[in-house]
Amino acid sequence: MDTIFTLLMVLIMIASILLTIVVMAQNPKGGGLSSTFGGASSAQFGVQRTNDFMEKATWTLGATIIVLILISVVITGKPSQAAPATQQPVKKEAPAQSAPASQSTTPVAPTK
């Protein structure tokens, strides 16, 4: 179980590093809301294939990370166990000690 967890963590780290590299390599175009309001430039007709690859790589790596995390939780998660049935401790009582034979020291009146 420990090796599976380690393998999954290594795969998650590799995918995270690759995702960081892909995001940092993307060309910032200043899109978003600014392009909606007339800020569009001629850069839209630039390198279209690279942007498609970068976008697909970003989504694929993001989904891969999520799937790997979910798999690691399912595989390494411990099932919830019901509270173990605790047995009542057996009461061990010492056997009752018999009283020593009592010898009465009271004088007995002689019968006439």
Side-chain angles (χ1 to χ4, degrees):
M1 199 64 128
D2 207 21
T3 57
I4 294 173
F5 180 73
T6 305
L7 176 69
L8 287 172
M9 288 299 114
V10 168
L11 290 175
I12 290 171
M13 286 182 191
I14 291 171
S16 299
I17 291 170
L18 288 175
L19 180 64
T20 303
I21 292 170
V22 168
V23 168
M24 295 298 284
Q26 288 181 1
N27 210 3
K29 29 182 172 176
L33 289 177
S34 63
S35 65
T36 305
F37 297 112
S41 65
S42 62
Q44 288 180 349
F45 301 109
V47 197
Q48 187 66 25
R49 288 184 182 227
T50 305
N51 288 341
D52 284 344
F53 171 75
M54 293 291 195
E55 185 176 351
K56 287 180 183 178
T58 302
W59 284 105
T60 304
L61 286 170
T64 302
I65 291 171
I66 291 172
V67 167
L68 286 173
I69 289 172
L70 290 176
I71 289 173
S72 70
V73 167
V74 169
I75 289 177
T76 61
K78 295 180 179 149
S80 60
Q81 297 177 355
T86 56
Q87 297 178 350
Q88 295 292 332
V90 178
K91 294 182 181 180
K92 293 184 179 180
E93 295 179 6
Q97 294 180 354
S98 59
S102 64
Q103 298 174 357
S104 65
T105 55
T106 56
V108 178
T111 54
K112 293 189 187 178

